[in-house]
Amino acid sequence: MRIVSGIQPTGNLHLGNYLGAIRNWVSMQDDAAASGGECLYFLADLHAISMPHVPADLSANTREMVAALVACGIDPDHSILFNQAQVPQHAELQWLLNGTARMGWLNRMTQWKDKAGKNREGQSVALFTYPVLQAADVLIYQATHVPVGEDQKQHLELARDIAQKFNNDFCAEDAPLFTLPAPFIPPEAARIMSLRDGSSKMSKSDPSDMSRINMTDDADTIMQKVKKAKTDPEPLPSEKAGLEGRAEANNLVSIYAVMAGTTADDVLAQFGGQGFGSFKPALGELLVEKLAPINARFVELRQDRTALDAILRKGAEKARALAIPTLEKTYDALGLVRR
Ligand code: TYM
């Protein structure tokens, strides 16, 4: 098993990232250690420049995100933790794959359509070609599994399409170059929604900080955000089917279930018939209890910039060594003269 995934270092790590992706990064790291597999987790800083950004914030956020990931349980001695900018092979492979990716495929990406909105002409070229870099990120390591939230599924399907077309166009049938990566999406936390609007996902780019729980929020802030979360006036149902059409209630019950390591039906067996006046404090306390140790570790780790930089340097060195063979084979397959 070769597990690869990334996160953009733009702003805080939030509960959607944690439940949708990072929790699985940690459990897959532990499984990989037992089975001899390998995990590569990276900060997608090259992706982050596809949107307007402040350079000093990007550097600071990159280091903070390393501290946050280690605080969540990513162990840099067991997983390869690095940032793309120190592994230029990602960007190199992207260019080579640009010859295979089709305009029509990129035009269909929902994230491109959402982010560009009506102003496509005004967007950076990087925002449009972003999914090709994402394909390079996983294909360069011959990833077998990619733990992500639901919103990344389409990008991963594109990575498979690019790999397939490259293999067909440039490789012998019995010697494909690229492994087709499989997304690994947790069904119970595929899409954690905003606390202010049950129809949009919890996101770093939401201007309202009240819409998300940050992994770095302190106990008071977490309690406050849960208390203020949008809900409806009905009491909770006693079975999951009763949450149909109640997006906000459904979201809070899902969060409770995943954090408690149980099912929505079990949560409703306990809280069914009760109003949010009693459910919200219970959810807030559960979140505080589970997130407090992560928060404490984060606060400690973030202060040691030298240690954070050393983690990235060491991870990048290992990642480069794994990336180079596939990159060289790609140059060869395309007939590019290198020696
Ligand atoms: P990013 O930085 O937006 O998010 C990181 C991870 O968190 C998941 N996620 C969520 N899961 C459930 N509910 C939510 N509300 C939620 N919000 C975010 C995302 O699905 C993701 O797994 N393009 C990627 C970064 C990337 C990448 C890659 C991922 C670059 N190259 C290669 C995998 C493989 C992104 O912007 O994720």
Side-chain angles (χ1 to χ4, degrees):
M1 282 211 324
R2 177 64 67 79
I3 295 137
V4 178
S5 198
I7 181 165
Q8 288 197 64
T10 41
N12 285 316
L13 187 66
H14 58 71
L15 193 65
N17 299 136
Y18 180 67
L19 297 181
I22 312 304
R23 218 169 35 111
N24 281 330
W25 293 16
V26 176
S27 62
M28 291 173 112
Q29 160 186 272
D30 300 340
D31 293 349
S35 67
E38 200 148 25
C39 297
L40 294 106
Y41 299 128
F42 61 90
L43 309 171
D45 48 3
L46 295 182
H47 279 99
I49 65 163
S50 60
M51 296 294 274
H53 78 285
V54 178
D57 290 352
L58 180 57
S59 323
N61 286 337
T62 298
R63 295 189 175 100
E64 292 241 317
M65 192 61 90
V66 179
L69 293 176
V70 174
C72 286
I74 302 297
D75 178 348
D77 289 329
H78 287 119
S79 294
I80 301 179
L81 180 57
F82 64 100
N83 59 318
Q84 280 169 326
Q86 295 198 58
V87 187
Q89 289 76 15
H90 288 231
E92 252 179 287
L93 182 63
Q94 180 195 16
W95 180 256
L96 301 184
L97 297 179
N98 275 340
T100 294
R102 305 288 95 181
M103 293 287 286
W105 298 355
L106 296 183
N107 260 323
R108 280 196 287 279
M109 293 293 109
T110 53
Q111 196 155 309
W112 155 249
K113 290 194 247 183
D114 290 349
K115 287 201 173 166
K118 292 208 169 66
N119 182 22
R120 289 192 178 194
E121 298 292 306
Q123 300 306 323
S124 71
V125 174
L127 188 66
F128 186 67
T129 60
Y130 177 117
V132 187
L133 178 59
Q134 185 156 344
D137 294 337
V138 294
L139 299 182
I140 201 158
Y141 300 111
Q142 306 288 354
T144 55
H145 298 81
V146 185
V148 283
E150 173 80 28
D151 61 343
Q152 296 303 319
K153 190 168 171 217
Q154 196 188 29
H155 285 161
L156 274 236
E157 282 161 2
L158 181 95
R160 291 172 66 92
D161 289 343
I162 292 175
Q164 184 92 61
K165 181 166 165 53
F166 190 101
N167 288 344
N168 286 343
D169 290 355
F170 302 110
C171 307
E173 210 171 312
D174 58 351
L177 174 47
F178 293 115
T179 305
L180 302 198
F184 184 85
I185 300 171
E188 69 292 353
R191 209 171 151 78
I192 301 295
M193 308 311 278
S194 154
L195 298 181
R196 309 299 293 166
D197 171 7
S199 66
S200 60
K201 68 171 183 180
M202 186 176 285
S203 157
K204 295 178 251 216
S205 52
D206 192 316
S208 166
D209 197 55
M210 294 301 281
S211 70
R212 63 187 156 257
I213 306 277
N214 301 306
M215 300 302 286
T216 50
D217 283 342
D218 61 22
D220 286 349
T221 312
I222 293 174
M223 292 305 284
Q224 191 67 7
K225 285 180 175 176
V226 174
K227 216 167 98 193
K228 290 251 166 77
K230 185 176 166 203
T231 44
D232 56 43
E234 303 296 319
L236 284 168
S238 41
E239 280 168 14
K240 197 166 184 278
L243 290 171
E244 194 88 15
R246 298 177 66 185
E248 284 83 11
N250 189 18
N251 190 39
L252 296 187
V253 169
S254 301
I255 293 174
Y256 191 106
V258 185
M259 291 306 288
T262 174
T263 63
D265 275 321
D266 278 344
V267 176
L268 293 172
Q270 190 184 343
F271 289 98
Q274 298 183 35
F276 287 97
S278 50
F279 181 65
K280 280 180 169 179
L283 173 60
E285 277 161 29
L286 176 66
L287 284 166
V288 168
E289 178 201 322
K290 300 280 180 186
L291 301 187
I294 296 180
N295 195 319
R297 254 176 286 150
F298 169 74
V299 170
E300 200 184 308
L301 290 164
R302 74 191 294 205
Q303 288 160 355
D304 194 346
R305 178 173 158 171
T306 312
L308 298 173
D309 285 347
I311 289 173
L312 290 179
R313 231 183 3 259
K314 189 176 87 176
E317 200 176 311
K318 292 187 193 159
R320 284 194 297 269
L322 291 175
I324 285 169
T326 297
L327 183 64
E328 287 305 327
K329 284 186 199 150
T330 313
Y331 276 113
D332 287 347
L334 291 169
L336 295 157
V337 177
R338 299 274 285 168
R339 23 182 193 267

